Amino acid sequence: MEDLEAVMRILKEGKEKMRESGNLSQWSGGYPSSAIIEEDIRRGQSFVVEEDGRIVAAFAFIMGEDPTYKRIEDGKWLNDEPYGTIHRIASAKGARGIMRKVLEWAFAKTENVRIDTHADNALMLHILVREGFAYCGIIYVSDGTPRKAYQKCNGQRRVF
């Protein structure tokens, strides 16, 4: 909880980067709120990336079934094996290589990672392809809006 203020600052900077790159609608309406981040912390699902003692990124990592991933349209998941999900990832302005660090950490926890993003999040879409994630289809988040869904399984090829 002592990092909550820093995490909220990072999320605000992440939202600003989205807006600057043309992603005008993802993370709108006060999302993600401090209440959501506090719940992530209470559940042990909130993490930070530090460089030189300074928090430069924040994200949620959730092991187990994600309810929003039960239904997928226009495709299918690579497998139905247990997985971890990365949510609410953001980095400070000027931070570099954050996603690669987070993915290294996540794949040390599980060989199967899922993530989703808004169709307008060009930066994240580019990163996911660069990092070898496979596009799997469309899922819908709790407010009903669509997201592009991706999955990567270390050591497994795409099965479609």
Side-chain angles (χ1 to χ4, degrees), residues 12 41 46 69 90 112 140 147 158:
K12 182 178 182 242
I41 293 168
S46 182
Y69 289 2
N112 202 6
Y140 294 86
R147 296 290 184 270
R158 186 173 177 89

Side-chain angles (χ1 to χ4, degrees), residues 52-125:
D52 300 322
R54 183 176 149 256
I55 295 175
V56 296
F59 64 100
F61 185 74
I62 302 160
M63 285 297 301
E65 192 171 291
D66 185 321
T68 61
Y69 289 2
K70 279 188 171 196
R71 183 176 134 230
I72 187 165
E73 294 180 354
D74 299 327
K76 65 184 233 178
W77 295 111
L78 298 180
N79 62 44
D80 293 323
E81 300 299 317
Y83 61 91
T85 305
I86 298 170
H87 283 301
R88 295 180 282 286
I89 185 167
S91 61
K93 290 183 179 179
R96 299 281 181 251
I98 297 300
M99 190 63 162
R100 186 158 287 146
K101 291 175 185 175
V102 169
L103 290 174
E104 287 173 7
W105 180 89
F107 279 109
K109 307 283 182 215
T110 180
E111 292 291 311
N112 202 6
V113 174
R114 294 180 182 181
I115 190 169
D116 65 84
T117 194
H118 194 282
D120 292 340
N121 195 338
L123 177 59
M124 181 60 76
L125 293 169

